[in-house]
Amino acid sequence: MTMVEARGHGTWVVLPTYDEADNIRPVSAAILESLPGATLLVVDDGSPDGTGEIADELAAADPRVRVRHRPAKQGLGRAYLDGFAIALDGGASIVVQMDADLSHDPTVLPNLIAPVSDGSTDLVIGSRYAPGGGVVDWGIGRRVISRGGSIFARTVLRLGPRDLTGGFKAWRASTLAAVPFEGVHAGGYVFQIEMTFRASRAGARIREVPITFHDRRVGQSKMSRRIVVEALVVVVQLRLEELFGRVRRARRRPA
């Protein structure tokens, strides 16, 4: 099966939502138009604005749409891990993660999954900072935080990809399944860094595909000072855990 695996056959798109009532219909329609053979899994964290109920209506009208209701907001990373587990149990061959606010352009999806589908790559990152990528409608402060966060994580963790904080990714299912979910301790946006770090250390082939990121036009951004601080702390923690692990292993080796 070619044509990017019949435009998404075997691909699950995991879409976490919280208060995305104005975006869930258009983003769902755009995803399924770009990948008609895909399964769309909406993971809603008990949105008080009725996002979950709208997702249920979409699922009732289209068998390609499924909904996972979570009782409360518990962090982006936890929502993704829950959705990943469902997609893997459902037999996905490729798992895509993306935002529900239309910041990630659904028309890019065929290009995003193509390197995984053809067997050349295990993880594809939709990159704002690869040549040809970019950001639209961001102020200087947001640009500095995002770009600086990626540079900081790339330097501390010694990783190759330029965009480590972005959340538009396509995973080979076997690569995603090899990441020990119980060991992931990031609840917010640093989850993106941590998952790429763990995949890289496991030997995954990682590639970046340039994208243009558009700031959300409807709703409120989930970015906060707490999320930024968490990212700094967890990045350093991951590196220290890795270094201390090497020391412990070296001490166990016979003289």
Side-chain angles (χ1 to χ4, degrees), residues 125 127-134 147 162-163 208-211:
I125 300 173
S127 177
R128 298 161 291 185
Y129 307 130
R147 192 66 178 261
R162 297 173 179 86
D163 193 344
E208 291 184 280
V209 170
I211 65 165

Side-chain angles (χ1 to χ4, degrees), residues 85-208:
I86 293 170
L88 293 172
D89 287 344
S93 57
I94 298 173
V95 180
V96 172
Q97 58 176 98
M98 63 185 294
D99 292 348
D101 59 8
L102 292 168
S103 295
H104 297 146
D105 183 358
T107 63
V108 176
L109 284 167
N111 289 337
L112 194 76
I113 70 171
V116 180
S117 180
D118 67 19
S120 64
T121 306
D122 301 310
L123 168 60
V124 178
I125 300 173
S127 177
R128 298 161 291 185
Y129 307 130
V135 175
V136 176
D137 299 327
W138 268 9
I140 185 64
R142 186 78 182 272
R143 290 174 184 269
V144 169
I145 290 172
S146 175
R147 192 66 178 261
S150 285
I151 293 172
F152 175 78
R154 188 182 185 199
T155 301
V156 173
L157 298 176
R158 300 185 180 184
L159 293 170
R162 297 173 179 86
D163 193 344
L164 292 173
T165 60
F168 198 12
K169 299 178 179 177
W171 293 82
R172 183 178 307 283
S174 58
T175 299
L176 183 58
V179 176
F181 290 176
E182 65 276 5
V184 176
H185 54 286
Y189 285 89
V190 72
F191 169 80
Q192 313 296 0
I193 301 171
E194 186 173 359
M195 289 295 286
T196 299
F197 167 77
R198 294 186 182 278
S200 175
R201 292 304 192 265
R205 298 167 296 171
I206 302 175
R207 175 175 169 183
E208 291 184 280

Side-chain angles (χ1 to χ4, degrees), residues 240-253:
L240 290 176
E241 288 175 353
E242 183 176 46
L243 292 175
F244 288 148
R246 289 177 182 173
V247 171
R248 286 193 295 268
R249 288 191 295 271
R251 287 176 177 174
R252 293 194 195 105
R253 293 189 191 119

Side-chain angles (χ1 to χ4, degrees), residues 1-19:
M1 188 181 297
T2 54
M3 193 68 176
V4 190
E5 293 300 317
R7 294 190 67 190
H9 180 75
T11 298
W12 283 56
V13 179
V14 178
L15 194 73
T17 57
Y18 185 78
D19 282 357

